Amino acid sequence: MTLMHKILGTAAAFALSAGAALSEPAMIYDLGGKFDKSFNEAAFAGAEKWKAETGETYREIELQSEAQREQALRRFAEAGLNPIVMAGFAFGSILEEVAADYPDTKFAIIDMVVDAPNVRSIVFSEHEGSYLAGMMAAMASKTGTVGFIGGMDIPLIRKFACGYVQGVKAANPDATVIQNMTGTTPTAWNDPVKGGELTRAQISQGADVIYAAAGGTGVGVLQTAADEGILSIGVDSNQNYMHPGQVLTSMVKRVDVAVYDAFMSGADLETGIFTLGLAQDGVGYAVDDNNAALVNDDMIAAVEDAKAKIISGEIVVHDYMTDNTCPVK
Amino acid sequence: MDVMPKWADVVLIPVISLVLAALLSTLVIVAIGEDPVAAVKLMVTGALGSTYAWGYTLYYATNFIFTGLAVAVAFHARMFNIGGEGQATLGGLGVALICLALPWPHWALALPAAVVGAALFGAAWAAIPAWLQAKRGSHIVITTIMFNFIAASVLNYLLVNVMRPTGSMDPATAKFPPGAHLPTLHDLLAPFGIAFSRAAPANISFLIAVVACVLVWLLIWRTRLGYEIRAQGHSEPAAVYAGIRPVRIIMAAMLVSGALAGMMAINNVMGEAERLVLNSVEGAGFIGIAVALMGRNHPFGVFLAAILFGFLYQGGAELALWTNIPRELIVVIQALVILFTGALDNMVRMPLEKLFLALRKDRA
């Protein structure tokens, strides 16, 4: 019954407002599910923040299959939901087709550029944030060996890894970086046990700071690093609180802000390509009470200096996506 | 053997299992504070209530028909092919290579080529476990499962490193040329004046799946090879005594099985996504096992069971779209149906057998 109310209500709202649509926004989570402690959960946090502040409601769906991408987009668009925000690059090619069929609906896509007049494309400069995380890792390391554990072996995670390695080498050219990916199936995003095993393997090779860019798998990396007495670096959300005093920092990617902004603008969503990098505070490193003892003034000074230089263009962090290669290993 | 009349085995047991699964699902929905009647209504209208809904239901069913047939054929030789997932993954690779290789002028040319490519790649992926089983006695369940992981890794490597267009974030191939676009049911039914939904992904592959059902029936019950497969399945020593070579039968059954699983790719890769993405199979290979179990390894049973699972998938998607039932619970509902129809078969069967025995004694 609530469904019929919703549809009728939306239709009525359309009829009354005639153009200036007053409708619910919609959020579509990717296959990982909204409670992945990372990417999708950050999107969920942004939507919930909007809900708490405005007191309004939104529709959401967690996808279960690839075929549902187009289905969810079309059904939400036909139900008059506006704007429709989707988290994940995998929507890209489908949105290109769907957006053209619903010119009055605004769409926002995170992590992908879709060139259409009614689409806001939000992309993050993860390589810049990871660069700063890499610098901090190299400065905090005593052994000169640091680690990287990725989730699934996809280009986006290689972009994280490439920025990280560049940062490490910038702070300590002699440092060694050990890289591992958790797996090749989507379960790689949610396998904390394997994350822990990889952490132990990297520790046995001398790593004493490990950066996890692996969704739910990272929980296992951070846990094992804390158990073994080495430092770890969290990702996407600020994960410093998970093991106070043992997480060096977190490379935050403000997916929540992107969703919140899109919901706030409502049907008047400004479209175009929005790149959120260090300059826009779309990515960055987290310092709070939990890790204050781990970072010293030299570290902050060096990282802030690099940040300013990246923003001014003096340092260019190579983006893996531009040519599918990374200049440093 | 004939404790029960055949209709009880074929119709009554699945129906009772479904009713039990539905009752438990109702309890689950009530327990989380949603209205079960509204939920069922939503599932039924969402999966069967319009041509759009049927388009999705039949799309999923097409996948399950192919993987269900694959499991069924192998099972007639008592081979448990758990590798449908990997074989369908490789089938997708075959379809993608063929669709991207040439600027296809028309789907009527591209489709037969893609069917051959999908079947060849799927069969090739089944060939190695089959050979290991036939020659070395390595258990087919173990090897086919392991080959699923190898298939996922191979595809991941190829999509991320080789087949992905430079600069694309998505680990997927480029879009197939327009000439490789398969007609959907909308295109096929329009000449007959039937307005089928344009948005639904069901396509001509569904008809191919139906043809595959008929061909599998012919193979198993109307050919010499089918007879040999069934003989081998019932008793290998007896088959050997009759002059049947087990190695040949194991290879033949598994190659046909792998080819059928691979052919699923013409539906999901060529018909729906029109490009090869990671994880395009999405568990359909495993659902095929439940479909074959429920369909009693008969092509017509597989067809009906596949439609049922298509209904569950599409109905579940509608629940996820329009209610607050979390997707984990939708998976629970789907799992209950699998549990009752597949794993708990004897729970319904044994009391029923007793009942029929008692009835027969009364009559005697």
Side-chain angles (χ1 to χ4, degrees), chain B residues 1 71-81 133 139-141 228-236 249-250 253-254 296-297:
Chain B
M1 278 302 280
V71 175
V73 167
F75 194 76
H76 278 290
R78 293 299 181 272
M79 295 279 114
F80 215 21
N81 179 13
Q133 169 78 60
H139 204 288
I140 197 92
V141 168
E228 290 177 340
I229 289 177
R230 282 183 294 139
Q232 152 96 14
H234 282 295
S235 165
E236 188 174 311
I249 298 304
I250 291 174
M254 281 302 290
R296 299 286 183 270
N297 294 311

Side-chain angles (χ1 to χ4, degrees), chain A residues 214-275:
Chain A
T217 304
V219 176
V221 175
L222 267 54
Q223 176 72 51
T224 309
D227 291 347
E228 302 280 334
I230 66 156
L231 295 174
S232 55
I233 300 175
V235 79
D236 287 356
S237 306
N238 182 352
Q239 299 180 322
N240 293 356
Y241 72 92
M242 291 172 72
H243 302 281
Q246 290 176 295
V247 179
L248 176 63
T249 183
S250 294
M251 201 295 273
V252 289
K253 174 173 165 181
R254 302 308 301 268
V255 177
D256 53 338
V257 176
V259 173
Y260 174 82
D261 284 351
F263 274 21
M264 266 301 178
S265 1
D268 307 322
L269 188 71
E270 195 188 334
T271 55
I273 300 169
F274 288 67
T275 304

